[in-house]
Coordinates of all heavy atoms in Angstrom, one line a residue:
M259 N -12.6 -12.8 12.4 CA -12.4 -11.4 12.3 C -11.9 -10.8 13.7 O -11.0 -9.9 13.6 CB -13.7 -10.7 12.0 CG -13.7 -9.3 11.8 SD -12.7 -8.9 10.3 CE -12.9 -7.2 10.2
A260 N -12.3 -11.3 14.8 CA -11.9 -10.8 16.1 C -10.4 -11.1 16.3 O -9.7 -10.3 16.9 CB -12.7 -11.5 17.2
Y261 N -9.9 -12.3 15.8 CA -8.5 -12.6 15.9 C -7.7 -11.7 15.1 O -6.6 -11.3 15.5 CB -8.3 -14.1 15.4 CG -8.9 -15.1 16.3 CD1 -9.9 -16.0 15.9 CD2 -8.4 -15.2 17.6 CE1 -10.4 -16.9 16.7 CE2 -8.9 -16.2 18.5 CZ -9.9 -17.0 18.0 OH -10.5 -17.9 18.9
L262 N -8.2 -11.2 13.9 CA -7.4 -10.3 13.1 C -7.3 -8.9 13.8 O -6.2 -8.4 13.9 CB -8.1 -10.1 11.8 CG -7.4 -9.2 10.8 CD1 -6.1 -9.8 10.4 CD2 -8.3 -9.0 9.6
L263 N -8.4 -8.5 14.5 CA -8.3 -7.2 15.2 C -7.4 -7.4 16.4 O -6.6 -6.5 16.7 CB -9.7 -6.8 15.7 CG -10.7 -6.4 14.6 CD1 -12.0 -6.2 15.2 CD2 -10.2 -5.1 13.9
F264 N -7.4 -8.5 17.1 CA -6.6 -8.7 18.3 C -5.1 -8.8 17.8 O -4.2 -8.2 18.5 CB -6.9 -10.1 18.9 CG -6.1 -10.4 20.1 CD1 -6.3 -9.7 21.3 CD2 -5.1 -11.3 20.1 CE1 -5.5 -9.9 22.4 CE2 -4.4 -11.6 21.2 CZ -4.5 -10.9 22.4
A265 N -4.8 -9.4 16.7 CA -3.4 -9.5 16.2 C -2.9 -8.1 15.8 O -1.8 -7.8 16.1 CB -3.3 -10.5 15.1
G266 N -3.8 -7.3 15.2 CA -3.4 -6.0 14.9 C -3.1 -5.1 16.1 O -2.2 -4.3 16.1
D267 N -4.0 -5.3 17.1 CA -3.7 -4.5 18.3 C -2.4 -4.9 19.0 O -1.7 -4.1 19.5 CB -4.9 -4.8 19.3 CG -6.2 -4.0 18.9 OD1 -6.1 -3.1 18.1 OD2 -7.2 -4.4 19.5
M268 N -2.1 -6.2 19.0 CA -0.8 -6.7 19.6 C 0.4 -6.1 18.8 O 1.4 -5.8 19.4 CB -0.8 -8.2 19.6 CG -1.8 -8.8 20.6 SD -1.5 -8.3 22.3 CE -2.9 -7.2 22.6
L269 N 0.3 -6.0 17.5 CA 1.3 -5.5 16.7 C 1.5 -4.0 17.0 O 2.7 -3.5 17.1 CB 1.1 -5.7 15.2 CG 1.2 -7.1 14.7 CD1 0.7 -7.2 13.2 CD2 2.6 -7.6 14.8
V270 N 0.5 -3.3 17.1 CA 0.5 -1.8 17.4 C 1.1 -1.7 18.8 O 2.0 -0.8 19.0 CB -0.8 -1.2 17.3 CG1 -0.8 0.2 17.9 CG2 -1.3 -1.1 15.8
M271 N 0.7 -2.5 19.8 CA 1.3 -2.4 21.1 C 2.8 -2.7 21.1 O 3.5 -2.0 21.8 CB 0.5 -3.3 22.1 CG 1.0 -3.2 23.5 SD 0.6 -1.6 24.2 CE -1.1 -1.7 24.5
A272 N 3.2 -3.7 20.4 CA 4.6 -4.1 20.3 C 5.4 -2.9 19.7 O 6.5 -2.6 20.2 CB 4.8 -5.3 19.5
F273 N 4.8 -2.3 18.7 CA 5.5 -1.2 18.0 C 5.7 0.0 19.0 O 6.8 0.6 19.1 CB 4.7 -0.7 16.8 CG 5.3 0.5 16.2 CD1 6.4 0.5 15.4 CD2 4.6 1.7 16.3 CE1 6.9 1.7 14.9 CE2 5.1 2.9 15.8 CZ 6.3 2.9 15.0
M274 N 4.6 0.3 19.8 CA 4.7 1.4 20.7 C 5.7 1.1 21.8 O 6.5 2.0 22.2 CB 3.3 1.7 21.3 CG 2.4 2.3 20.3 SD 0.9 2.9 21.1 CE 0.1 1.4 21.5
M275 N 5.8 -0.1 22.2 CA 6.8 -0.5 23.3 C 8.2 -0.4 22.7 O 9.1 0.1 23.4 CB 6.5 -1.9 23.8 CG 5.3 -2.0 24.6 SD 4.8 -3.7 25.0 CE 6.2 -4.4 25.8
I276 N 8.4 -0.8 21.5 CA 9.7 -0.6 20.9 C 10.1 0.8 20.7 O 11.3 1.2 21.0 CB 9.8 -1.4 19.5 CG1 9.7 -2.9 19.7 CG2 11.0 -1.0 18.7 CD1 9.4 -3.7 18.4
V277 N 9.2 1.7 20.4 CA 9.5 3.1 20.3 C 9.9 3.7 21.6 O 10.8 4.5 21.7 CB 8.3 3.9 19.7 CG1 8.4 5.4 19.8 CG2 8.1 3.5 18.2
V278 N 9.1 3.3 22.7 CA 9.5 3.8 24.0 C 10.9 3.4 24.4 O 11.7 4.2 25.0 CB 8.4 3.4 25.0 CG1 8.9 3.6 26.4 CG2 7.1 4.1 24.8
V279 N 11.2 2.1 24.2 CA 12.5 1.6 24.6 C 13.6 2.3 23.8 O 14.6 2.7 24.3 CB 12.6 0.1 24.4 CG1 14.0 -0.4 24.5 CG2 11.7 -0.6 25.4
W280 N 13.4 2.5 22.5 CA 14.3 3.1 21.6 C 14.6 4.6 22.0 O 15.7 5.0 22.1 CB 13.9 3.0 20.2 CG 14.8 3.7 19.2 CD1 16.1 3.2 18.9 CD2 14.6 4.8 18.4 NE1 16.6 4.1 17.9 CE2 15.8 5.1 17.6 CE3 13.5 5.7 18.3 CZ2 15.9 6.2 16.8 CZ3 13.6 6.8 17.5 CH2 14.8 7.0 16.7
V281 N 13.5 5.3 22.3 CA 13.7 6.7 22.7 C 14.4 6.8 24.0 O 15.2 7.7 24.2 CB 12.3 7.4 22.7 CG1 12.4 8.8 23.4 CG2 11.7 7.6 21.3
S282 N 14.0 5.9 25.0 CA 14.7 6.0 26.3 C 16.1 5.6 26.2 O 16.9 6.1 27.0 CB 13.9 5.1 27.3 OG 14.1 3.7 26.9
L283 N 16.5 4.8 25.3 CA 17.9 4.4 25.1 C 18.7 5.5 24.4 O 19.9 5.7 24.7 CB 18.1 3.1 24.4 CG 17.6 1.9 25.1 CD1 17.8 0.7 24.2 CD2 18.5 1.6 26.4
K284 N 18.1 6.3 23.6 CA 18.8 7.3 22.8 C 18.8 8.7 23.5 O 19.6 9.5 23.2 CB 18.1 7.5 21.4 CG 18.3 6.3 20.5 CD 19.7 6.1 20.1 CE 19.8 4.9 19.2 NZ 21.2 4.7 18.7
S285 N 17.9 8.9 24.5 CA 17.8 10.2 25.1 C 18.7 10.2 26.3 O 19.1 9.2 26.9 CB 16.4 10.4 25.6 OG 15.5 10.5 24.5
S286 N 19.1 11.4 26.8 CA 19.9 11.5 27.9 C 19.0 11.4 29.2 O 17.8 11.6 29.1 CB 20.6 12.9 27.9 OG 19.7 13.9 28.1
K287 N 19.7 11.1 30.3 CA 19.0 11.0 31.6 C 18.2 12.2 31.9 O 17.1 12.2 32.4 CB 20.0 10.6 32.7 CG 19.4 10.4 34.0 CD 19.1 9.0 34.2 CE 18.8 8.8 35.7 NZ 18.0 7.6 35.9
K288 N 18.8 13.4 31.7 CA 18.2 14.7 32.0 C 16.9 14.9 31.2 O 15.9 15.3 31.7 CB 19.2 15.8 31.7 CG 18.7 17.2 32.0 CD 19.7 18.2 31.7 CE 19.2 19.6 32.0 NZ 20.2 20.7 31.6
N289 N 16.9 14.5 29.9 CA 15.7 14.7 29.0 C 14.6 13.7 29.5 O 13.4 14.1 29.4 CB 16.1 14.5 27.6 CG 16.8 15.7 27.0 OD1 16.8 16.8 27.5 ND2 17.5 15.4 25.9
I290 N 15.0 12.5 29.9 CA 14.0 11.6 30.3 C 13.3 12.0 31.6 O 12.1 12.0 31.8 CB 14.6 10.2 30.5 CG1 15.1 9.6 29.1 CG2 13.7 9.2 31.2 CD1 15.9 8.3 29.2
E291 N 14.1 12.6 32.5 CA 13.6 13.1 33.8 C 12.7 14.3 33.5 O 11.6 14.4 34.1 CB 14.7 13.5 34.7 CG 15.4 12.4 35.5 CD 14.4 11.8 36.5 OE1 13.6 12.6 37.1 OE2 14.5 10.6 36.7
K292 N 13.1 15.1 32.6 CA 12.2 16.3 32.2 C 10.9 15.9 31.6 O 9.9 16.4 32.0 CB 13.0 17.2 31.3 CG 12.3 18.5 30.9 CD 13.2 19.3 30.0 CE 12.5 20.6 29.6 NZ 13.4 21.3 28.6
A293 N 10.9 14.9 30.8 CA 9.7 14.4 30.1 C 8.8 13.7 31.1 O 7.6 13.8 31.1 CB 10.0 13.5 29.0
A294 N 9.4 13.0 32.1 CA 8.6 12.3 33.1 C 7.9 13.2 34.1 O 6.9 12.9 34.6 CB 9.5 11.3 33.9
R295 N 8.4 14.4 34.2 CA 7.8 15.4 35.1 C 6.7 16.2 34.5 O 6.0 16.9 35.2 CB 8.9 16.3 35.7 CG 9.9 15.6 36.6 CD 10.3 16.6 37.7 NE 10.8 15.8 38.8 CZ 10.0 15.5 39.9 NH1 8.8 15.9 39.9 NH2 10.5 14.8 40.9
I296 N 6.5 16.1 33.2 CA 5.5 16.9 32.5 C 4.1 16.7 33.2 O 3.4 17.6 33.5 CB 5.4 16.6 31.0 CG1 6.7 17.2 30.4 CG2 4.2 17.2 30.4 CD1 6.9 16.8 28.9
P297 N 3.6 15.4 33.4 CA 2.3 15.3 34.0 C 2.2 15.8 35.4 O 1.1 16.2 35.9 CB 2.0 13.8 34.0 CG 3.0 13.2 33.0 CD 4.2 14.1 33.0
L298 N 3.3 15.8 36.2 CA 3.3 16.3 37.5 C 3.3 17.8 37.6 O 2.8 18.4 38.6 CB 4.6 15.7 38.3 CG 4.7 14.2 38.3 CD1 6.0 13.8 38.9 CD2 3.6 13.6 39.0
N299 N 3.8 18.5 36.6 CA 3.9 19.9 36.7 C 2.9 20.6 35.8 O 3.1 21.8 35.5 CB 5.3 20.4 36.3 CG 6.4 19.9 37.3 OD1 6.1 19.7 38.4 ND2 7.6 19.6 36.8
D300 N 1.9 20.0 35.3 CA 1.0 20.6 34.3 C 0.0 21.6 35.0 O -0.6 22.4 34.3 CB 0.2 19.5 33.6 CG -0.8 18.7 34.5 OD1 -0.6 18.8 35.7 OD2 -1.6 18.1 33.9
E301 N -0.1 21.7 36.3 CA -1.0 22.6 36.9 C -0.3 24.0 37.2 O -1.0 25.0 37.5 CB -1.4 22.1 38.3 CG -2.3 20.8 38.1 CD -2.6 20.2 39.5 OE1 -2.2 20.8 40.5 OE2 -3.3 19.2 39.5
H302 N 1.0 24.1 37.0 CA 1.7 25.3 37.3 C 2.1 26.0 36.0 O 3.3 26.2 35.7 CB 3.0 25.0 38.1 CG 2.7 24.2 39.3 ND1 2.0 24.8 40.4 CD2 2.9 22.9 39.7 CE1 1.9 23.9 41.4 NE2 2.4 22.7 40.9
Q303 N 1.1 26.5 35.3 CA 1.3 27.2 34.0 C 1.3 28.7 34.3 O 0.5 29.2 35.0 CB 0.3 26.8 33.0 CG 0.3 25.4 32.6 CD -0.7 25.0 31.5 OE1 -1.5 25.9 31.2 NE2 -0.7 23.8 31.1
D304 N 2.3 29.4 33.6 CA 2.3 30.8 33.8 C 1.4 31.4 32.7 O 1.3 31.0 31.6 CB 3.8 31.3 33.5 CG 4.7 30.8 34.6 OD1 4.5 31.2 35.8 OD2 5.6 30.0 34.3
G305 N 0.8 32.5 33.1 CA 0.0 33.2 32.2 C -1.4 33.2 32.5 O -2.5 33.3 32.5

């Protein structure tokens, strides 16, 4: 049973890595930079 859970986790991780690579290849450099800065700029919210 533990092997089944481990295999499922590895499949999900592989899927997430493929999604990240696919999105980074399809997005422009400007959009990737903007998305990468979100965690750095989260303290400066207006309002």
